[in-house]
Amino acid sequence: GDHLGVTGDVQLVMMGSGEGRYAEFLMRAESQFKGRVVGYVGFSPEMEHKIIAGADILIMPSKYEPCGLPQMYAQRYGTIPVVHATGGLKDSVIQYNPFANKTLEEDIGTGWQFSAPDEGGVRFGLWNALHTYKHYKESWEELMKSAMTKDFSWELSAKKYEQVFRWAKMDQPFINPWPFQ
């Protein structure tokens, strides 16, 4: 197996703004690995969508992510997310299950989650994604289709909230007016 994780014919495109040292690192990597690493320092929604739509895999190793939209955009485009299992990333990316039973209509998932936001976690998620991409093309296509069918609309969220309110109305809360009896 590939014990080093990310090897082979892989290109990396990174976009973002933040600390200057990361921008400098990105520029050095781009010049050192011409054609394999591309860096876009800054942010533009138009560029974000172009990068995500043109990628096979989106990596989001965020330490904290209350919501996150890029992983949802990625799924709509058929780009498979590899995310740190936190906040909105954990809620919106379903862990890939290659053993899902299709006859029982079990969901195969939409990407990969990793629990530790560190090198080992990213390596785990990325290695599994690349391994599937390179060696299991049919599974990869099923994963893409599964991701593209996910509904992140407000309509679906509103229906879930309505259900919670219906459940809340079904049983009256227990109130003991004399708590010391």
Side-chain angles (χ1 to χ4, degrees):
D2 180 8
H3 70 285
L4 297 176
V6 184
T7 60
D9 189 20
V10 175
Q11 293 178 318
L12 177 67
V13 179
M14 295 174 58
M15 179 176 93
S17 56
E19 292 183 34
R21 64 184 172 139
Y22 295 120
E24 290 171 19
F25 170 79
L26 190 54
M27 294 304 158
R28 281 195 312 274
E30 187 174 15
S31 66
Q32 185 178 352
F33 301 103
K34 271 289 187 228
R36 294 182 58 90
V37 174
V38 176
Y40 181 91
V41 177
F43 179 79
S44 150
E46 181 181 341
M47 183 59 74
E48 175 189 35
H49 282 271
K50 287 179 179 180
I51 290 171
I52 293 172
D56 294 307
I57 299 169
L58 172 73
I59 308 167
M60 287 189 68
S62 308
K63 271 191 175 179
Y64 310 101
E65 191 68 58
C67 175
L69 294 174
Q71 79 281 4
M72 290 187 238
Y73 301 151
Q75 291 175 72
R76 179 61 60 193
Y77 293 131
T79 301
I80 302 304
V82 173
V83 301
H84 171 223
T86 186
L89 300 176
K90 183 177 183 178
D91 295 338
S92 59
V93 176
I94 301 166
Q95 178 66 38
Y96 174 60
N97 177 7
F99 306 107
N101 188 331
K102 294 173 197 155
T103 58
L104 297 177
E105 296 184 19
E106 291 179 350
D107 197 336
I108 67 162
T110 61
W112 278 268
Q113 296 184 7
F114 53 90
S115 57
D118 58 15
E119 179 188 347
V122 173
R123 187 175 284 194
F124 165 82
L126 198 50
W127 187 91
N128 281 288
L130 287 169
H131 184 74
T132 303
Y133 177 82
K134 290 177 181 180
H135 302 290
Y136 299 95
K137 295 288 186 190
E138 189 175 305
S139 295
W140 188 264
E141 287 178 18
E142 288 177 16
L143 188 59
M144 289 173 62
K145 289 175 186 172
S146 176
M148 288 189 285
T149 62
K150 292 302 165 211
D151 182 0
F152 296 112
S153 70
W154 281 112
E155 185 177 330
L156 181 64
S157 295
K159 286 179 183 176
K160 288 180 180 179
Y161 275 111
E162 287 174 351
Q163 181 62 48
V164 168
F165 286 117
R166 280 195 295 276
W167 288 335
K169 288 174 135 181
M170 289 167 72
D171 293 320
Q172 293 297 319
F174 175 77
I175 299 173
N176 183 355
W178 306 101
F180 301 109
Q181 286 184 341

